[in-house]
Amino acid sequence: MSRDRYVDFLRAWAIVLVVLGHWLITAVLHGPGGELTAPELLATVPWTQWLTLLFQIMPLFFLAGGHAAAGSWARTRSAGGTATGWVGRRAVRLLLPTALYSGLVLLAVGVCSTVGVDPDTLALVGWAMAMQFWFLPVYLLLSALTPVLRAAHRRWGLAVPVAMGAVALIADTVVLAAHTPDVGLLNYVLVWGVAYQLGFCWRDGPLSERRPLLPAAMAAGGALAFAALVALGPFPVSLILVTGQTPSNTNPPSAAMLSWAVAQVGACLLAAPVLRRLLERERVWRVVRPVGSVSMTLYLWHMLPVLVVAAAFYLTGLAPEPALGSAVWWGLRAPWLLVLGVVLVAVVSAVRPLEGGLVQWYERTRPDASPYRPWLLWPGLAVCATALSRFATRGFTDDGRFPALPALGLALGTALVLLHRRPTEPGSTEHYSARLGEERRKSKMWLKFQTHVR
């Protein structure tokens, strides 16, 4: 089956807007003692919180992820694959780039801590380099749950995301009424899981872009619900965490975030016919496709250019520092974004071959058809999700100190996931069986493709 260009576009578009949004609101200034500070634009200039409605587009990434996962899992099952094999394959492709990124950042943190870099500065840098990590444990968990969620979808269809949304609303109400923030942790899976599950419905037909009535109702109803919750309820307009703002729409995801996610999904389906026609133009697709292929790399590394440019232009005093939020400050956002973009292209060009090399090495030494060890995979995923959650909430440092325990946890969890496939030595019977099984799996997929085409 040919790739769905619109799904690939949504993933690329979501990542690009996240990157631009983070860069746009990031400000760098000299502090009283000459040190660099990063004042919070959304808190200092409150009207900028409305901009988050444009840049908080991660619901569409989860929607596209659910659509793609549904097709991938269906093809794996048709070819005789198992849940362990499918989940493990997706986990490896997520964790290898993450492990490379985390390892290099942690190495830098360890060196800086040893040579005596200011702890406050190191803590700020460690937070900036981990601010995007909230996404990783959530997506890892939803990927692991895909076989179960997919089975529920096949039986109950649209009722599944509706039920998940209802439970999310109950959890949010309990958090607000009883002041029990731990209950809100459920909403990381439930709210983002609604968008992921709607991706199943989109692919299989219960939620169809060809029947615009339901998408239109979702777009209008979600937008009206969001407006009501902000205007009449306790929720802020910002869809990004603002320090000191309670409640938050993202930490944990709130009823307002759920409403906005539903509205975005509806609008996405309404826009699908026009955008699909546009993506059929090869000149447009040649721009979109490369971005989609490096979306994970962009997401992981996009804050490094901020640190590079801050050191090059702000520590040296070369960059002007107008008042935060002034007309001059906004005017300088254009060259700021341009320079960051150039640096990010250089970073991606350097890092992408390393990521690809790691994945190719792993696939070569442990073919997908090699025997699995489920008892290593599932604990490994749990340990990785815990470590990544710790980095997401507290950054890559503990008040300027090296985070030994979470770093060890991430290394251990990643190792367990990687070891869930047994290695096969070239020339061995096991290696031959694994390669034969892989060829059979590919042959079955090819036959299904030929049948589909005919």
Side-chain angles (χ1 to χ4, degrees):
M1 185 180 296
S2 61
R3 293 179 65 87
D4 190 323
R5 291 186 175 186
Y6 187 48
V7 173
D8 289 347
F9 164 77
L10 289 179
R11 285 188 288 199
W13 181 242
I15 294 301
V16 167
L17 279 191
V18 167
V19 171
L20 290 177
H22 283 166
W23 287 354
L24 185 67
I25 66 174
T26 298
V28 180
L29 294 173
H30 273 101
E35 74 282 2
L36 288 182
T37 62
E40 194 171 351
L41 178 67
L42 299 181
T44 307
V45 188
W47 71 263
T48 58
Q49 295 180 26
W50 288 93
L51 297 177
T52 64
L53 273 65
L54 300 176
F55 290 100
Q56 178 52 277
I57 200 170
M58 287 306 286
L60 297 188
F61 191 93
F62 282 97
L63 174 74
H67 187 289
S72 174
W73 172 234
R75 291 189 294 272
T76 297
R77 287 199 62 186
S78 298
T82 64
T84 299
W86 185 85
V87 172
R89 183 167 60 252
R90 294 178 76 85
V92 165
R93 291 175 181 174
L94 179 70
L95 288 175
L96 277 178
T98 301
L100 174 65
Y101 173 83
S102 301
L104 292 175
V105 173
L106 288 168
L107 176 62
V109 167
V111 171
C112 292
S113 179
T114 301
V115 301
V117 172
D118 175 61
D120 291 336
T121 300
L122 193 55
L124 177 62
V125 170
W127 170 82
M129 295 297 285
M131 63 183 295
Q132 71 276 35
F133 265 37
W134 71 267
F135 162 83
L136 298 172
V138 177
Y139 202 78
L140 197 63
L141 182 56
L142 288 173
S143 294
L145 291 174
T146 293
V148 176
L149 295 174
R150 179 70 176 160
H153 164 75
R154 289 172 65 87
R155 182 167 184 176
W156 293 297
L158 271 171
V160 178
V162 170
M164 292 171 68
V167 176
L169 293 176
I170 293 172
D172 201 28
T173 302
V174 171
V175 170
L176 294 175
H179 304 288
T180 52
D182 290 344
V183 175
L185 295 177
L186 291 172
N187 278 4
Y188 281 101
V189 176
L190 291 171
V191 171
W192 299 117
V194 166
Y196 192 80
Q197 197 80 18
L198 287 174
F200 297 171
C201 299
W202 178 25
R203 180 182 182 275
D204 293 344
L207 184 62
S208 175
E209 60 195 57
R210 296 184 179 87
R211 295 193 294 271
L213 184 59
L214 182 55
M218 292 172 61
L224 289 174
F226 176 82
L229 289 168
V230 171
L232 306 176
F235 299 102
V237 70
S238 178
L239 294 173
I240 295 176
L241 179 65
V242 178
T243 302
Q245 195 173 74
T246 303
S248 166
N249 283 328
T250 57
N251 188 29
S254 68
M257 176 61 80
L258 176 61
S259 301
W260 195 249
V262 171
Q264 278 195 359
V265 170
C268 162
L269 297 182
L270 289 175
V274 173
L275 291 177
R276 283 188 188 279
R277 288 194 294 270
L278 184 63
L279 291 168
E280 288 302 318
R281 301 177 182 177
E282 287 304 316
R283 280 187 290 185
V284 175
W285 181 239
R286 281 198 295 267
V287 174
V288 173
R289 182 172 56 184
V291 177
S293 66
V294 297
S295 59
M296 186 64 181
T297 310
L298 292 174
Y299 187 80
L300 286 173
W301 290 91
H302 74 273
M303 289 304 291
L304 179 60
V306 174
L307 302 181
V308 172
V309 173
F313 292 95
Y314 286 88
L315 278 179
T316 59
L318 294 176
E321 298 184 24
L324 185 64
S326 65
V328 176
W329 186 86
W330 283 108
L332 290 173
R333 289 289 89 181
W336 165 259
L337 295 177
L338 179 62
V339 173
L340 291 179
V342 171
V343 176
L344 183 59
V345 169
V347 170
V348 171
S349 299
V351 171
R352 184 62 179 168
L354 296 176
E355 295 178 344
L358 281 176
V359 174
Q360 290 175 9
W361 164 81
Y362 182 79
E363 296 291 344
R364 186 172 61 252
T365 57
R366 285 174 164 81
D368 189 37
S370 59
Y372 299 121
R373 299 176 175 127
W375 52 275
L376 289 179
L377 174 64
W378 305 108
L381 290 175
V383 174
C384 283
T386 302
L388 291 171
S389 299
R390 160 60 178 73
F391 286 133
T393 54
R394 301 181 64 179
F396 275 111
T397 63
D398 282 319
D399 298 325
R401 299 188 303 271
F402 185 81
L405 188 59
L408 179 62
L410 182 58
L412 174 62
T414 303
L416 291 175
V417 172
L418 295 179
L419 291 173
H420 87 280
R421 293 190 203 169
R422 296 176 185 173
T424 57
E425 297 181 3
S428 66
T429 303
E430 189 178 35
H431 174 77
Y432 174 76
S433 300
R435 293 300 300 269
L436 182 61
E438 180 68 9
E439 292 300 323
R440 286 175 177 171
R441 185 182 69 84
K442 291 180 178 178
S443 296
K444 288 181 180 179
M445 293 177 64
W446 175 250
L447 288 174
K448 287 183 68 64
F449 169 75
Q450 294 282 33
T451 302
H452 173 78
V453 170
R454 290 170 184 163

